[in-house]
């Protein structure tokens, strides 16, 4: 036990997994198989420098690389997962949640934070895909709604990074209704003229796609991110055809008019800050 | 096996067959069998009541999907008068999986929007088996916004196996179409009553399901994912659908307990398809009553109540 662990309060730690001791110093790019030096890869925000493949990153790291370092306040920490149905299949839902909490160090699949983006005050949400597939149940819907309300009442732009398989079936209709709830609060932002930016990162499907993810004033996607209502397997089973190449990828979404733009992870901060400065009638952010 | 009856209803089917047989004999001969027929009828009724008093969640799903179950197109002429169907989303096309139009309920103008599965092969194909695409939800949105402008309440009838999972659906951004409806319905300045009449499957049902009053017919079902889909994910086989239905609590009784729905509208013994006239009569009188209560509320209170209710769902 060192001096730090002695003075630090016990309880769950939220340290970024990617910062913990690496299994090895090298990682193979899952797309182009290039061997990548981990410290370099991290500096490149987990984007393969050879093929531009955007690797999945956790919610906490997402917020960390997006927001300014100072003045961050995490929101909705007191929101707990509920199991009103006492859902049980081969395993109890409660136990699945405990496992996911242990695995990710997070309480549920959405993190929300107030902070600044190049000095512009913002509220940001990020889905944790490693937590139960980033699925939306009561806790995710509630945290999102509270974050949106913070944005609404303080007139700060809202940004959400989604990465999710959709609604959480273990919460049945309660999870379905989170679609209505999050869409309803976003409508209040829309009426009030508070900008909402939805950033889709691989993947975004189902109930989240058909609610908060597609309702951005600006819809943005990372390169090659998949987003859609029904997953490709379901569609193939239904229509009994092979899907065209690139179906539901960002480039397809842009061509079909679902998103405004594709932005590389390394440019998200600068470009969203610049966009929002216009929507909030502020001067363009400048580097100091 | 009589295909008009579900597998768990076969004892009823056998009794009914016996009654029919007796009656045909009675017609031929002069034997007085009226008493025996009456006795069997009574027995059949009691048996139906007994079976239906303790349906499992999976059995309810089967009743909700019964091929004879009344659909939107069956209810419209029975619930409303002076019906005129309105077509198209003004952008792409007219989705026949959603029927929309104006009519009168108890003499007053209303906007009616319902999902329609279609009966018979041709109709089913035309209706895409009740699976709307983006243009269907956008037609619904157009009609709802028009209803707001012309101060007509919106009545929706929900009955779908889900929004259509196809290439064209995705190309036209069905996600956005559903999401937009959820947003707009949450603040539409007119009373909205939603009724699940058969199968309420996931986002495709919810997309016309946000309102001031949510009803379910007694043997209808509402789920976030079909029991088969849920079973496929958890048990890797659709055969576990009955367990999935039970675990998800897909029945009106369960959902009322959870506070998701406001009212269960009772069905005739043996399900709505056994007596569509009686079912329509019950539904009509409930809609008239509910609507008069909603109309009596100041609009601001109504919207506030609708919003607060959405915000509170799932709260421990």
């Amino acid at each position: 036990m060192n001096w730090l662990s002695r003075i630090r309060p016990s309880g769950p730690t939220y340290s970024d997994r990617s910062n913990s001791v690496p299994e090895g110093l090298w990682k193979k790019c899952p797309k182009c198989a290039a061997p990548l030096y981990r410290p370099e890869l991290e500096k490149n925000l987990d984007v393969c420098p050879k093929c531009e493949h955007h690797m999945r990153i956790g919610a906490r790291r997402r917020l960390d690389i997006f927001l300014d370092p100072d003045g961050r306040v995490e929101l909705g920490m007191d929101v707990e997962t509920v199991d009103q149905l006492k859902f049980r299949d081969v395993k109890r839902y409660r136990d699945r949640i405990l496992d996911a909490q242990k695995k990710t160090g997070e309480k549920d699949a959405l993190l929300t934070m107030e902070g600044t983006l190049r000095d512009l005050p913002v509220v940001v949400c990020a889905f944790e895909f490693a937590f139960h597939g980033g699925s939306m149940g009561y806790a995710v819907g509630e945290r999102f709604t509270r974050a949106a309300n913070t944005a609404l009442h303080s007139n700060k732009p809202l940004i959400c990074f989604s990465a999710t398989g959709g609604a959480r079936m273990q919460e049945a209709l309660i999870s379905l209704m989170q679609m209505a709830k999050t869409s309803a609060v976003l409508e209040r932002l829309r009426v009030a003229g508070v900008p909402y930016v939805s950033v889709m990162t691989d993947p975004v499907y189902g109930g989240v796609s058909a609610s908060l993810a597609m309702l951005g004033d600006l819809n943005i996607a990372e390169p090659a991110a998949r987003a859609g209502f029904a997953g490709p397997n379901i569609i193939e089973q239904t229509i009994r055809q092979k899907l065209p190449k690139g179906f539901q990828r960002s480039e397809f979404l842009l061509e079909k008019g679902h998103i405004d733009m594709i932005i590389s992870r390394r440019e998200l901060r600068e470009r969203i800050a610049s966009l929002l400065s216009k929507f909030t009638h502020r001067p363009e952010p400048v580097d100091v | 096996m009589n295909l008009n009856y579900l597998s768990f209803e076969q004892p009823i089917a056998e009794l009914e067959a016996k009654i029919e047989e007796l009656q045909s004999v009675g017609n031929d001969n002069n034997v007085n069998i009226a008493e025996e027929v009456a006795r069997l009828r009574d027995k059949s009724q009691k048996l139906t009541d007994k079976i239906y008093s303790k349906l499992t969640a999976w059995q309810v799903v089967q009743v909700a999907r019964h091929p004879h179950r009344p659909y939107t197109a069956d209810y419209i002429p029975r619930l409303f008068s002076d019906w005129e169907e309105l077509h198209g989303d003004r952008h792409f096309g007219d989705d026949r999986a959603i029927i929309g139009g104006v009519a009168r309920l108890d003499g007053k103008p209303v906007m009616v929007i319902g999902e329609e599965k279609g009966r018979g092969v041709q109709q089913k194909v035309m209706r895409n088996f009740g699976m709307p695409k983006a243009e269907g939800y956008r037609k619904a949105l157009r009609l709802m916004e028009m209803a707001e402008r012309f101060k007509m309440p919106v009545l929706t009838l929900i009955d779908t196996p889900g929004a259509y999972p196809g290439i064209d659906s995705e190309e036209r951004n069905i996600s956005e179409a559903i999401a937009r409806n959820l947003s707009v319905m949450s603040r539409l300045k007119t009373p909205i009553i939603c009724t699940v009449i058969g199968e309420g499957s996931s986002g495709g049902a919810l997309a016309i399901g946000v309102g001031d009053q949510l009803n379910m017919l007694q043997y209808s079902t509402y789920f976030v994912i079909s029991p088969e889909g849920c079973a496929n994910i958890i048990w890797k086989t659709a055969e576990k659908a009955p367990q999935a239905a039970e675990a998800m609590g897909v029945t009106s009784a369960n959902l009322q307990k959870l506070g998701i729905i406001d009212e269960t509208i009772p069905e005739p013994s043996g399900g709505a398809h056994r007596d569509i006239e009686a079912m329509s009569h019950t539904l009509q009188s409930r809609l008239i009553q509910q609507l008069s209560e909603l109309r009596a509320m100041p609009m601001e209170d109504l919207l506030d109540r609708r919003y607060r209710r959405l915000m509170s769902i799932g709260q421990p």
Side-chain angles (χ1 to χ4, degrees):
Chain A
M1 200 186 252
N2 61 22
W3 66 273
L4 181 65
S5 56
R6 245 177 281 130
I7 58 164
R8 222 163 124 175
S10 61
T13 55
Y14 294 104
S15 72
D16 192 336
R17 282 159 57 87
S18 60
N19 283 343
S20 59
V21 185
E23 296 115 53
L25 273 177
W26 295 87
K27 185 187 164 101
K28 207 158 92 175
C29 171
K31 182 136 182 261
C32 72
L36 304 169
Y37 187 54
R38 268 182 199 272
E40 280 299 313
L41 181 62
E42 263 172 44
K43 224 183 284 169
N44 208 32
L45 309 182
D46 286 70
V47 176
C48 172
K50 302 277 192 295
C51 73
E52 279 296 296
H53 175 61
H54 282 52
M55 298 173 200
R56 196 169 290 154
I57 58 174
R60 206 155 282 277
R61 178 152 151 84
R62 171 67 72 177
L63 295 177
D64 192 48
I65 63 175
F66 185 70
L67 284 169
D68 297 339
D70 296 328
R72 301 173 183 181
V73 181
E74 189 163 352
L75 306 169
M77 299 283 281
D78 56 325
V79 178
E80 302 283 344
T81 311
V82 293
D83 178 20
Q84 295 213 17
L85 282 87
K86 308 256 178 296
F87 192 96
R88 166 181 207 136
D89 45 76
V90 285
K91 222 172 170 182
R92 286 193 308 180
Y93 174 48
R94 269 184 50 202
D95 294 335
R96 286 184 190 272
I97 289 299
L98 290 174
D99 289 351
Q101 287 172 339
K102 225 183 271 168
K103 178 174 139 200
T104 61
E106 305 297 350
K107 279 173 89 173
D108 209 300
L110 188 80
L111 295 189
T112 56
M113 228 176 243
E114 255 185 301
T116 57
L117 171 67
R118 304 197 79 196
D119 290 333
L120 173 74
V122 291
V123 179
V124 189
C125 311
F127 278 79
E128 176 55 68
F129 191 80
F131 193 107
H132 218 287
S135 56
M136 175 161 74
Y138 165 76
V140 168
E142 180 65 17
R143 274 193 179 181
F144 182 89
T145 302
R146 289 195 192 181
N149 273 321
T150 303
L152 179 66
H153 298 130
S154 59
N155 198 21
K156 293 176 187 172
L158 176 70
I159 301 144
C160 179
F161 293 91
S162 38
T164 171
R168 190 174 294 169
M169 62 187 180
Q170 287 84 353
E171 292 184 35
L173 259 271
I174 289 175
S175 74
L176 186 74
M177 292 296 165
Q178 302 308 311
M179 294 170 64
K181 173 168 150 183
T182 55
S183 302
V185 74
L186 286 174
E187 190 67 6
R188 295 227 156 164
L189 267 70
R190 191 181 170 91
V191 170
V194 175
Y196 168 50
V197 179
S198 169
V199 186
M200 289 167 244
T201 73
D202 190 68
V204 182
Y205 278 101
V208 176
S209 165
S211 61
L212 61 96
M214 273 298 167
L215 289 172
D217 292 299
L218 302 173
N219 288 340
I220 296 172
E222 282 192 340
R226 290 163 298 172
F229 179 64
N233 291 343
I234 303 285
I235 299 176
E236 279 186 346
Q237 282 164 26
T238 308
I239 62 172
R240 306 218 165 94
Q241 285 172 41
K242 275 260 159 255
L243 295 172
K245 204 164 172 278
F247 181 67
Q248 294 180 326
R249 297 257 178 207
S250 321
E251 295 69 18
F252 166 95
L253 303 174
L254 184 66
E255 186 199 311
K256 297 296 175 192
H258 305 181
I259 58 174
D260 292 281
M261 60 193 82
I262 300 169
I263 301 183
S264 148
R265 189 174 294 161
R266 280 159 306 174
E267 292 176 3
L268 277 171
R269 246 177 79 79
E270 279 67 29
R271 288 183 61 189
I272 293 179
S274 168
L275 281 161
L276 285 176
S277 74
K278 296 176 189 75
F279 282 83
T280 55
H281 295 269
R282 287 162 175 261
E284 287 290 325
V286 282
D287 288 312
V288 249
Chain B
M1 186 164 148
N2 186 337
L3 292 180
N4 289 335
Y5 290 86
L6 299 164
S7 57
F8 63 86
E9 296 177 310
Q10 285 310 315
I12 307 171
E14 280 162 28
L15 267 179
E16 291 293 326
K18 223 184 259 177
I19 293 170
E20 221 168 277
E21 204 178 305
L22 263 179
Q23 275 176 322
S24 65
V25 171
N27 290 341
D28 293 348
N29 303 327
N30 267 337
V31 190
N32 183 5
I33 47 120
E35 233 170 74
E36 179 63 4
V37 167
R39 196 185 65 81
L40 285 176
R41 279 245 163 84
D42 187 53
K43 198 173 164 195
S44 166
Q45 185 59 49
K46 282 196 177 121
L47 188 61
T48 306
D49 290 347
K50 192 176 154 213
I51 289 176
Y52 270 73
S53 69
K54 46 177 185 187
L55 293 184
T56 65
W58 179 239
Q59 286 169 337
V60 169
V61 172
Q62 288 169 282
V63 178
R65 291 172 176 168
H66 196 288
H68 293 173
R69 191 159 177 90
Y71 295 151
T72 290
D74 301 311
Y75 283 119
I76 285 175
R78 292 174 169 89
L79 299 177
F80 310 109
S81 63
D82 309 289
W83 161 254
E84 280 288 355
E85 186 170 355
L86 305 171
H87 291 276
D89 70 342
R90 299 292 188 269
H91 298 287
F92 179 81
D94 184 40
D95 187 340
R96 310 300 302 273
I98 290 188
I99 299 177
V102 284
R104 285 177 189 275
L105 175 67
D106 199 25
K108 298 185 194 89
V110 290
M111 183 67 76
V112 182
I113 293 163
E115 287 155 331
E116 171 60 41
K117 289 179 169 177
R119 213 174 294 286
V121 178
Q122 254 186 338
Q123 284 275 320
K124 281 189 193 305
V125 170
M126 193 254 277
R127 303 289 184 188
N128 199 28
F129 300 83
M131 293 185 283
K133 302 180 185 179
E135 52 271 26
Y137 294 116
R138 289 184 181 130
K139 167 167 75 175
L141 180 67
R142 177 175 80 85
L143 299 185
M144 290 190 282
E145 289 183 322
M146 185 156 74
E148 180 186 45
R149 289 198 297 283
F150 296 99
K151 302 190 171 23
M152 289 179 214
V154 175
L155 306 176
T156 74
L157 301 176
I158 295 167
D159 191 15
T160 177
Y164 183 62
I167 293 179
D168 46 351
S169 275
E170 300 291 334
E171 282 178 340
R172 296 195 284 279
N173 205 353
I174 191 155
S175 285
E176 192 272 348
I178 293 172
R180 188 66 60 203
N181 284 13
L182 305 181
S183 286
V184 171
M185 291 180 94
S186 75
R187 60 142 176 84
L188 203 72
K189 287 196 187 73
T190 192
I192 305 174
I193 301 178
C194 310
T195 307
V196 183
I197 57 168
E199 191 177 6
S201 182
S202 197
L206 185 64
I208 58 165
V210 178
D212 304 298
Q213 169 82 28
L214 181 53
N215 303 317
M216 278 177 80
L217 301 193
Q218 190 177 0
Y219 305 121
S220 67
T221 179
Y222 200 176
F223 39 73
V224 67
I225 179 171
S226 72
E228 292 90 338
C230 176
N232 252 326
I233 293 172
I234 291 174
W235 289 277
K236 313 289 172 209
T237 164
E239 276 167 29
K240 296 279 187 183
Q243 281 91 325
E246 203 63 55
M248 290 195 295
V250 300
T251 63
S252 56
N254 271 318
L255 295 171
Q256 197 167 348
K257 242 185 276 160
L258 279 176
I260 305 266
I261 66 158
D262 302 293
E263 187 173 326
T264 299
I265 298 181
E267 294 192 22
S269 174
H273 59 288
R274 300 269 175 241
D275 191 347
I276 181 176
E277 303 304 332
M279 183 72 254
S280 304
H281 183 77
T282 311
L283 178 56
Q284 188 191 47
S285 67
R286 288 312 298 143
L287 290 176
I288 291 171
Q289 175 65 30
Q290 290 170 356
L291 202 50
S292 81
E293 284 165 24
L294 294 177
R295 280 188 214 265
M297 291 176 70
M299 188 52 65
E300 213 165 295
D301 295 358
L302 187 77
L303 293 180
D304 192 47
R305 201 184 71 140
R306 190 189 301 165
Y307 188 78
R308 269 190 291 123
R309 172 213 165 98
L310 281 175
M311 292 304 129
S312 72
I313 288 175
Q315 223 144 49

